[in-house]
Amino acid sequence: MRADDTPLIRLEDYRPSDWLIDTVDLDISLHPQKTRVRALLGLRPNPAGRPGAPLILDGDELSLSGLRLDGLLIDESAYSATAQGLTLHAPPHRRFTLTIDTQVDPSANTKLMGLYRSSRVYCTQCEADGFRRISYFLDRPDVMSVYTVRLEAAKIEAPVLLSNGNLVAAGEMAGGERHFAVWHDPHPKPAYLFALVGGALDHVRQDYVTADGRKVELAVHVEPGKAGRAGWAMDCLVRCMRWDERVFGRNYDLDVFNVVAVSDFNMGAMENKGLNIFNDKYVLADPQTATDGDYASIEAIIAHEYFHNWTGNRITCRDWFQLCLKEGLTVFRDQEFSADERSRPVKRIADVRTLRSTQFSEDAGPLAHPVRPRAYKEINNFYTPTVYEKGAEVIRMLKLLVGDDAFRAGMDLYFERCDGTAATIEEFLACFAETSGKDLTQFARWYEQAGTPTIVASGRYDAAARTYTLDLAQTTAPTPGQPDKQPVVLPVALGLVGKAGDLPLVTGSAAYAGDGVIVLDQPSLSVAFSDVDEPPIPSLLRGFSAPARLELDLADADLLRLFSADSDSFNRWQALQSVASRALVSAGRSPGGHNALIATAGELAEALAGFLRVQAPADPAFAAQVLRLPVPADIAREIGRDVDPDAIHAAHRSLAAEIGLRLRPHLMELRERLGTSAAYRPDAASAGRRALRNEALGLIALADPEAGAHLAEAQFAAADNLTDRLAALAAMTLVAGDAREALIARFGKTYAAEPLVLDKWLMAQALIAEPGTLDRVKGLMQHPAFSLGNPNRVRALIGGFAANLTQFNRPDGEGYAFVADMVVALDRTNPQVASRLLGSFKSWRMLEPARKALAEQKLAMVAQTPGLSRDVADIAERALA
Ligand SMILES: [Zn+2]
């Protein structure tokens, strides 16, 4: 189907379902090719629906093998059934049951939506609309039902049978070859939260007692032989359950909680009620096969999916336009959990890096859309950084604006009032308006208006009057479909930094909300501070208090003073980033400004030298963030037009190399000091030390390739963990030559049997910023570990290449051609993975004319391919619009 033939689904067209399904009894007999599904639906007319309306059930690639109404066969003239739906033309206007028989082929399901097999394990993925690939259904989130699920399978093939809720019966079938299990979930839920798993799985188990006294059996299920790698996920699960009890007063509500890891999965993980299904990348961890980053991701994602039990499952979304209601809120909750478990400032810096590189770039291109989109053709294309990460920023701003107490009270009210319902953003915000007494009408604009606001700030000091006046203005550039932007509510956390630290903030301005926050909700405003005894340096957007760009023209010297004197850790980090970013933008715009770069490197190195000696050893995780320059993609976005990726890359390299050269003795000394002979531990403090050592290694490798290569080889040989080995490989990829090729080969051989580690190896090679990389990537597609059928392999190698700024954007267009061909090839088997990959073209419009033309050609080629999926057609159409 072509996207332009696909109906546009609009928020304003929402109307309640004409029918409701109170109960669903599923009887599923699992077979690799011929799985039989019988669904017994308890239906009734919805009082809010249209009386006498037909019953129209959704389907996707289904075939009907039996249909009964209240147990009796129905005349064929009373219904029509196609692969895409089942319609009862004139159902009785009363309660009735419908028994629907379908048969599905899990082995042939390469889309990984609905019921499929992954490494011989039966599993499901039903969000957003996968359930309709299992049975005909009212597949929409506002139809919530109580499920009872009977699973049956060959014992040898699927000794473990899991579904949502609690296990109520299990046993053997006559003959002893097959067995069954019956699961009942007492909590009404939409079909997208249905799940089943059947297979041979190992597990770890742990008992848990909730704060309100419920005994829960927790289990993490993994492929046979991998139970030894499930301990960390279990540890994270227990910690996040306690945290949600303590911080949000939320207890778990079933007798069992199962987590299952599968190797073929389109997303990160899925929060199915009581049965979370994970991409194994986000469950399996041991020091030999997972990095510190993996440990942190597992912690965040285990928590995220668990937190959905309340924000997503108990209270779900009325329709998919409200996706951010569950996702933005739950990302905020997992970010807070990680911040409490680790370093809050470091977590914030990491989250803002992600926000800028993924969401700001989305906002700046043709795929920009509001946190709550108003229309879509394919909902799978809206699981985006805007809905997730910007959605979380909106919650963070809400908390800052209403205050901690009213925020917690608002959450409590939301849980109480909306429990068991499918809710909207309006219902959510009403809770906080009520507990805070604030009017949130203008704040709600964050959900409706796309684009990253820019705050333009400037300050004036009047020594005679002892006043400091801060002028703030906001603008948001047009985005597709939204040419004119309204002002949004921007909480600007700030300080005025004097010689001895923060100056008191004395002002009578109505825009000052107290606690160091100005609320910028007008196009522009001025705030005058009095009793200011010295000219201050403004420290704005502390803690990144709003997802905005800040334009504030501070001299490098002032920024460097903020780096050393600001009481806000985030802005200390931001100050150095700003110095580096300004120099890189300038050099990226007009190559040849080498001297200016050298001068900036000198300033940065001087500021860093003292920091590395004195403060870095005390907070290595923060120091590692400080040492890392803004990424080239962020510089490209700041430049915004006529972007030459090679110029940016060259500037980035030379700035890093120059800093590395000047700091080399300090970096070497620091590596010595932080070196440890203790065995690997994944805790945040140990991870911080490794991060700093490895950041130092990267700078040394750029400054002195030969010395870097020696260090990397030695580190690889001596390391007892994957973090240090992978960092050695990454440093080595910066330096062309035989030593690099040898280490790549050695790494590949060492981890030949570990697909998740090989993903990192594939990606490290795909990211090499050299013209030979395209051929290398094509060659690696022939590697025995690579498969186009596995989303993790595809994302690592092909997705890695598409994220390679200089090589994806090769001047000859071959990078675009390769990725476009891959999109078309993948679309035949897995449209979701294909459309994500096509999203790599999202920044094509900002390129210089020659590259822009080549990228557009390839996008057009994709768009014109016959038989395209709706997922890919939609992205191609929007990217070209
Ligand atoms: Zn989620």
Side-chain angles (χ1 to χ4, degrees), residues 278-587:
F278 273 65
N279 187 325
D280 58 1
K281 173 179 163 63
Y282 296 117
V283 169
L284 301 174
D286 70 22
Q288 299 312 315
T289 56
T291 62
D292 292 331
D294 293 325
Y295 276 90
S297 297
I298 291 168
E299 185 175 81
I301 295 176
I302 286 275
H304 179 94
E305 307 307 334
Y306 173 74
F307 294 157
H308 268 314
N309 190 53
W310 276 94
T311 49
N313 300 2
R314 289 284 290 251
I315 307 175
T316 189
C317 309
R318 189 193 70 174
D319 51 69
W320 291 121
F321 296 102
Q322 324 289 332
L323 182 59
C324 61
L325 179 67
K326 75 176 179 82
E327 293 306 342
L329 178 55
T330 305
V331 169
F332 170 76
R333 274 152 55 70
D334 83 54
Q335 289 177 346
E336 285 297 289
F337 168 68
S338 294
D340 282 348
E341 295 290 302
R342 293 165 180 261
S343 154
R344 184 163 283 270
V346 171
K347 172 66 178 159
R348 187 66 186 137
I349 290 167
D351 288 342
V352 172
R353 277 189 194 277
T354 304
L355 181 79
R356 284 176 173 154
S357 66
T358 63
Q359 201 280 322
F360 280 22
S361 57
E362 188 164 80
D363 255 350
L367 301 182
H369 58 86
V371 172
R372 179 167 68 179
R374 296 202 70 84
Y376 62 79
K377 286 190 173 178
E378 174 50 66
I379 188 59
N380 288 325
N381 288 336
F382 284 87
Y383 286 73
T384 58
T386 297
V387 169
Y388 279 67
E389 272 73 31
K390 188 175 177 182
E393 293 300 317
V394 174
I395 305 292
R396 189 174 296 281
M397 286 188 288
L398 177 67
K399 182 167 185 270
L400 187 61
L401 288 164
V402 302
D404 291 353
D405 292 346
F407 180 76
R408 173 63 201 271
M411 286 300 298
D412 288 349
L413 182 60
Y414 174 62
F415 289 130
E416 188 193 315
R417 185 182 282 170
C418 297
D419 189 16
T421 72
T424 61
I425 293 299
E426 283 74 13
E427 289 170 284
F428 174 74
L429 285 180
C431 296
F432 299 91
E434 210 166 306
T435 58
S436 70
K438 286 192 156 69
D439 180 355
L440 297 175
T441 314
Q442 190 190 349
F443 181 78
R445 202 169 275 157
W446 278 108
Y447 288 99
E448 312 298 337
Q449 186 165 285
T452 306
T454 294
I455 301 172
V456 180
S458 60
R460 284 166 284 135
Y461 180 64
D462 184 332
R466 294 168 57 234
T467 58
Y468 182 77
T469 306
L470 192 60
D471 298 320
L472 298 172
Q474 61 164 306
T475 56
T476 304
T479 54
Q482 291 187 337
D484 301 308
K485 301 290 185 179
Q486 304 295 312
V488 287
V489 181
L490 290 155
V492 181
L494 83 160
L496 297 179
V497 180
K499 288 195 191 71
D502 279 11
L503 303 172
L505 299 176
V506 183
T507 176
S509 165
Y512 185 65
D515 293 331
V517 176
I518 291 174
V519 179
L520 174 60
D521 55 6
Q522 308 294 314
S524 65
L525 56 80
S526 294
V527 177
F529 294 95
S530 52
D531 304 334
V532 185
D533 289 327
E534 56 178 304
I537 304 172
S539 166
L540 304 184
L541 276 187
R542 281 184 163 176
F544 205 63
S545 59
R549 288 179 67 251
L550 175 65
E551 284 182 9
L552 170 65
D553 198 15
L554 288 183
D556 281 1
D558 288 343
L559 286 167
L560 294 171
R561 226 179 95 209
L562 286 182
F563 171 63
S564 61
D566 202 318
S567 61
D568 182 71
S569 299
F570 181 88
N571 270 6
R572 290 189 64 200
W573 169 80
Q574 179 62 54
L576 277 204
Q577 294 284 305
S578 298
V579 172
S581 178
R582 184 154 55 195
L584 290 170
V585 165
S586 163

Side-chain angles (χ1 to χ4, degrees), residues 32 46 85 151 209 233 255 304 349 551 660 697 780 811 822 875:
N46 186 355
L151 299 174
V209 181
D255 303 334
H304 179 94
I349 290 167
E551 284 182 9
L697 174 61
L780 284 167
M822 286 296 112
I875 295 285

Side-chain angles (χ1 to χ4, degrees), residues 26-287:
L26 287 172
D27 191 344
I28 300 178
S29 180
L30 292 168
H31 182 279
Q33 286 86 32
K34 294 173 186 166
T35 290
R36 284 182 291 112
V37 179
R38 169 165 290 182
L40 173 66
L41 311 182
L43 286 137
R44 70 180 158 96
N46 186 355
R50 300 167 304 171
L55 174 66
I56 303 169
L57 301 179
D58 304 299
D60 183 9
E61 300 184 351
L62 284 181
S63 75
L64 183 69
S65 50
L67 183 65
R68 285 165 185 265
L69 193 150
D70 288 338
L72 300 171
L73 284 173
I74 312 178
D75 190 89
E76 280 189 17
S77 66
Y79 68 90
S80 53
T82 68
Q84 264 63 50
L86 169 62
T87 301
L88 251 64
H89 304 303
H93 195 69
R94 58 168 170 81
R95 284 176 188 274
F96 66 93
T97 65
L98 207 56
T99 309
I100 304 170
D101 292 311
T102 49
Q103 185 173 304
V104 293
D105 181 352
S107 301
N109 184 355
T110 60
K111 292 184 178 172
L112 313 186
M113 278 292 269
L115 174 65
Y116 65 96
R117 291 184 96 207
S118 165
S119 305
R120 291 190 298 187
V121 175
Y122 295 97
C123 64
T124 53
Q125 169 60 36
C126 291
E127 187 177 1
D129 42 20
F131 191 81
R132 66 185 65 179
R133 296 170 59 76
I134 299 171
S135 184
Y136 293 103
F137 203 75
L138 292 171
D139 195 0
R140 44 187 290 168
D142 58 349
V143 171
M144 299 172 80
S145 324
V146 171
Y147 282 69
T148 307
V149 180
R150 182 183 178 279
L151 299 174
E152 188 197 308
K155 272 194 315 198
I156 190 158
E157 189 194 27
V160 176
L161 292 172
L162 305 172
S163 190
N164 316 87
N166 299 319
L167 182 67
V168 292
E172 280 194 10
M173 312 288 292
E177 273 187 27
R178 291 177 76 79
H179 72 148
F180 72 94
V182 181
W183 291 80
H184 177 72
D185 180 3
H187 301 281
K189 64 170 176 288
Y192 82 85
L193 291 173
F194 164 80
L196 73 81
V197 168
L201 296 162
D202 281 355
H203 63 257
V204 293
R205 278 190 201 283
Q206 189 163 330
D207 290 332
Y208 183 91
V209 181
T210 62
D212 59 355
R214 177 189 289 269
K215 278 193 193 138
V216 186
E217 191 177 73
L218 310 176
V220 178
H221 304 262
V222 296
E223 269 179 36
K226 293 189 175 167
R229 299 187 193 177
W232 174 251
M234 179 63 86
D235 179 64
C236 296
L237 179 59
V238 170
R239 283 187 284 120
C240 74
M241 289 175 82
R242 285 283 171 247
W243 185 91
D244 211 20
E245 291 169 357
R246 199 173 65 241
V247 177
F248 282 94
R250 296 297 107 197
N251 292 291
Y252 187 60
D253 53 8
L254 289 166
D255 303 334
V256 293
F257 186 79
N258 285 305
V259 170
V260 181
V262 300
S263 50
D264 302 279
F265 205 72
N266 279 348
M267 318 206 196
M270 179 62 211
E271 69 262 23
N272 318 294
K273 182 78 185 189
L275 177 55
N276 290 359
I277 299 181
F278 273 65
N279 187 325
D280 58 1
K281 173 179 163 63
Y282 296 117
V283 169
L284 301 174
D286 70 22

Side-chain angles (χ1 to χ4, degrees), residues 754-766:
E754 297 292 347
L756 293 174
V757 182
L758 287 182
D759 284 345
K760 300 174 194 303
W761 177 75
L762 293 172
M763 185 179 262
Q765 296 178 73

Side-chain angles (χ1 to χ4, degrees), residues 697 701 708-719 722 724-751 758 761 764-765 768 776:
L697 174 61
H710 282 303
L711 281 177
E713 275 169 344
Q715 176 163 317
F716 187 90
L722 183 64
D724 287 335
R725 289 198 154 168
L726 188 67
L729 179 70
M732 196 66 115
T733 60
L734 300 170
V735 184
D738 292 344
R740 172 171 82 189
E741 300 313 317
L743 192 68
I744 287 174
R746 192 170 159 197
F747 192 106
K749 231 168 119 183
T750 308
Y751 295 103
L758 287 182
W761 177 75
Q765 296 178 73
I768 295 174
R776 188 192 287 269

